[in-house]
């Protein structure tokens, strides 16, 4: 078993101000997403799934409340510490893959670690092997299919052995069959390593695989 961290939300709220009007997307959420488990966040488009994932990764800050990852209150860290924490301890998989088009597949996987001053080419290659794409290491991302690009993104998210994987509708931009294969790979890779996985999805097919399911309802979370 590897490292894993629980995610704890304490009174987490997020409001946006638009045209002078306050718009409350998340209402004082309290929840624990358990370490080493797969938690699914479900709810229709616009209910706040991405907003919550961005608060957990520290890309965004809540209007109120705190997010804990393991014993670290990520919402209370200074900007630089929060960025370093995210880079070292969190892996993120996005709906639109977010690969850098001017870098090769291998360079995309090693980039996060190179930014941290410890590029691990061998580890990146090992991850590419695990997602079945070692043979495409020197290809540019636009030569790959959507499913292959998402597999590269999964390799990138896991290459630095993070405690927590966040996935925001990772199959939302793939056809159902490819999406199912990508999901299976992501689950297998996170389960095998005992990682904490929090995934936003509007696909009900995924729910039978989840250890816990939280649904958004009027800006609140119901388990
Ligand atoms: N930067 C922003 N400014 C204003 N409103 C936003 C912003 N980002 C998201 N929202 C609003 O927050 C709500 C939740 O969005 P989001 O978290 O993207 O939902 P989901 O991921 O569940 O589809 C939506 O009503 C959206 O319009
Ligand atoms: Mg979203």
């Amino acid at each position: 078993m590897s490292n894993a961290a629980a995610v704890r939300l304490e009174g987490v709220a997020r409001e946006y101000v638009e045209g002078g009007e306050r718009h409350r997307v998340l209402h004082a959420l309290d929840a624990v997403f358990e370490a080493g488990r797969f938690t699914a966040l479900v709810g229709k488009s616009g209910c706040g799934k991405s907003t919550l994932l961005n608060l957990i990764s520290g890309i965004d800050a809540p209007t109120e409340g705190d997010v804990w990852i393991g014993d670290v209150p990520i919402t209370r860290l200074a900007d630089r510490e929060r960025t370093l924490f995210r880079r070292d301890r969190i892996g993120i998989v996005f709906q639109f893959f977010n690969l850098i088009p001017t870098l090769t597949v291998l360079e995309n996987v090693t980039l996060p670690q190179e930014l941290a001053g410890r590029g691990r080419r061998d580890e990146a290659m090992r991850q590419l092997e695990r997602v079945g794409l070692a043979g495409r290491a020197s290809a540019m991302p636009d030569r790959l299919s959507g499913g292959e690009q998402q597999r590269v993104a999964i390799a990138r998210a896991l290459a630095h052995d993070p405690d927590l994987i966040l996935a925001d509708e990772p199959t939302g931009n793939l056809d159902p069959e490819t999406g199912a294969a990508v999901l299976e790979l992501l689950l297998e890779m996170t389960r095998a390593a005992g990682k904490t996985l929090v995934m936003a999805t509007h696909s009900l097919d995924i729910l039978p695989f989840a250890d816990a399911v939280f649904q958004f309802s009027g800006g609140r979370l119901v388990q």
Side-chain angles (χ1 to χ4, degrees):
M1 281 289 143
S2 170
N3 45 342
V7 176
R8 199 163 87 239
L9 311 179
E10 282 181 354
V12 171
R14 181 69 171 97
E15 291 179 349
Y16 292 109
V17 179
E18 248 181 351
E21 264 186 52
R22 290 202 320 183
H23 171 50
R24 192 161 245 231
V25 177
L26 304 177
H27 293 259
L29 307 183
D30 290 302
V32 176
F33 306 148
E34 286 182 48
R37 300 296 177 88
F38 166 26
T39 299
L41 304 175
V42 295
K44 51 183 190 285
S45 185
C47 69
K49 301 183 295 297
S50 297
T51 300
L52 179 56
L53 289 177
N54 289 339
L55 295 177
I56 295 172
S57 68
I59 290 172
D60 186 21
T63 321
E64 288 164 40
D66 283 301
V67 176
W68 292 74
I69 297 177
D71 55 5
V72 176
I74 186 165
T75 39
R76 296 186 186 196
L77 299 179
D79 285 353
R80 179 168 166 74
E81 286 167 28
R82 195 163 53 241
T83 301
L84 294 177
F85 182 89
R86 179 166 60 244
R87 193 176 67 193
D88 290 343
R89 310 279 297 276
I90 302 178
I92 309 181
V93 181
F94 302 91
Q95 178 173 356
F96 297 102
F97 326 134
N98 293 21
L99 299 178
I100 297 179
T102 52
L103 297 181
T104 65
V105 162
L106 179 63
E107 288 165 348
N108 266 281
V109 177
T110 48
L111 182 66
Q113 291 315 287
E114 259 155 27
L115 292 176
R118 46 183 163 80
R120 289 280 312 276
R121 197 172 180 282
D122 52 343
E123 181 54 34
M125 270 313 286
R126 209 172 66 82
Q127 291 296 339
L128 279 176
E129 269 161 37
R130 292 182 70 198
V131 302
L133 289 171
R136 309 301 301 277
S138 56
M140 302 309 282
D142 67 357
R143 297 287 145 187
L144 274 54
S145 69
E148 288 170 336
Q149 290 188 46
Q150 195 61 304
R151 280 151 59 196
V152 174
I154 291 170
R156 175 182 59 185
L158 288 161
H160 59 300
D161 194 27
D163 304 313
L164 169 66
I165 315 292
L166 303 174
D168 194 354
E169 310 222 27
T171 63
N173 199 41
L174 301 172
D175 64 73
E177 200 177 319
T178 308
V182 162
L183 177 70
E184 194 178 328
L185 178 71
L186 183 56
L187 290 182
E188 182 196 298
M189 289 179 71
T190 49
R191 285 233 161 94
K195 301 285 184 200
T196 307
L197 171 64
V198 180
M199 185 188 299
T201 180
H202 59 242
S203 164
L204 301 179
D205 305 343
I206 289 175
L207 303 190
F209 300 99
D211 298 308
V213 178
F214 285 84
Q215 176 148 31
F216 284 86
S217 173
R220 294 167 206 280
L221 270 183
V222 211
Q223 189 166 11

